[in-house]
Amino acid sequence: MTTGDVTNRLRRVDPAFGGWRELGAVLLIGVALTVALTYPIAFRIGHVGRVDNGDGQLSIWNVAWVARTLVIDPRHVFDANIFYPHTGALAYSEANLGAGALAIPVYWATRNPYAAHNFVVLVAFVLTANGMYYLVRHLTGDRRGAAVAAICFAFCPYVFAHLPHIQLLMTAGLPFSMLAFHRMVERPTAGRGAVLGAVMAAQALFCGYYGVFVMLMIGYGVIVVALRRR
């Protein structure tokens, strides 16, 4: 198969990521797998949590604090109610601003820190599965390969080993950043560049560690593309 054949195949299979029907199917399957593989979180969303260690307790409090404070007093979100009388205490560790923002609807609907935290946990798995699916789908045009990659990446042992660390569950920005990068390389525009920057910034807000990883990944990708295209 020549390069032209591959390009034509991708254009036929992936003109707009498969449309709404494919997106709906991917989301539905991602939700089903997340509910099954994280059982019983979805069925006891307001009553279970990793409170057997300090990291798990911190994550639950952190998400609830950010979800609450971003609504009623966003200017003082970093002045968390810990380590009094110190200010800016939220900056002592991961701020988890992205996770807290995601939790806002559930927190204010329930006022339950467990529900807010667990909702973000479930959303993290679904978004990661979708991100990896569309990255592999875009690169290969193979839906079956994309599905396998999505499942293996989103539900890998590493992620489940870090259930008490909400920031380390936020892996969705990694595949979404690479997808935005490849799309920008294929057709450089200001809009696609802005999307790449926005996705990278979002990943940094969700997890500082992965924000660094994304910068390294994209930086390496830029070097490879520049060398190959001279």
Side-chain angles (χ1 to χ4, degrees):
M1 182 178 291
T2 66
T3 303
D5 294 334
V6 173
T7 302
N8 291 333
R9 182 186 176 209
L10 290 177
R11 285 174 179 168
R12 290 197 306 271
V13 176
D14 190 19
F17 299 109
W20 292 106
R21 292 180 62 184
E22 182 172 352
L23 175 60
V26 173
L27 283 172
L28 184 62
I29 295 172
V31 169
L33 287 173
T34 297
V35 170
L37 295 175
T38 61
Y39 179 86
I41 291 178
F43 298 96
R44 302 185 62 193
I45 194 168
H47 304 284
V48 298
R50 288 295 303 272
V51 294
D52 58 329
N53 60 71
D55 289 336
Q57 297 171 25
L58 176 66
S59 290
I60 295 170
W61 164 82
N62 191 322
V63 171
W65 167 264
V66 174
R68 167 194 173 276
T69 313
L70 282 180
V71 173
I72 65 172
D73 191 13
R75 292 195 306 118
H76 294 99
V77 66
F78 278 92
D79 296 327
N81 58 346
I82 54 175
F83 302 119
Y84 179 84
H86 294 283
T87 58
L90 193 67
Y92 290 178
S93 182
E94 278 274 3
N96 290 311
L97 297 179
L102 277 181
I104 286 174
V106 174
Y107 177 81
W108 285 100
T110 65
R111 302 297 180 93
N112 186 324
Y114 289 93
H117 176 271
N118 289 333
F119 171 76
V120 176
V121 170
L122 298 175
V123 169
F125 280 103
V126 175
L127 289 178
T128 300
N130 275 260
M132 183 54 71
Y133 175 87
Y134 279 107
L135 172 61
V136 177
R137 168 87 157 75
H138 179 77
L139 293 176
T140 68
D142 189 332
R143 292 185 176 92
R144 290 171 295 183
V148 172
I151 294 171
C152 291
F153 182 75
F155 304 103
C156 68
Y158 169 83
V159 177
F160 281 101
H162 287 286
L163 279 177
H165 312 111
I166 188 65
Q167 70 274 15
L168 297 182
L169 304 183
M170 300 298 163
T171 55
L174 301 176
F176 276 119
S177 292
M178 292 308 299
L179 175 60
F181 171 73
H182 283 290
R183 284 173 56 80
M184 189 188 71
V185 168
E186 292 164 6
R187 185 162 63 86
T189 65
R192 292 190 175 193
V195 169
L196 173 60
V199 176
M200 293 175 66
Q203 178 63 90
L205 288 174
F206 278 96
C207 178
Y209 303 110
Y210 296 155
V212 174
F213 294 169
V214 160
M215 287 189 288
L216 294 174
M217 290 163 55
I218 300 302
Y220 178 74
V222 169
I223 293 173
V224 171
V225 171
L227 291 175
R228 290 186 61 186
R229 297 188 175 185
R230 298 187 182 275

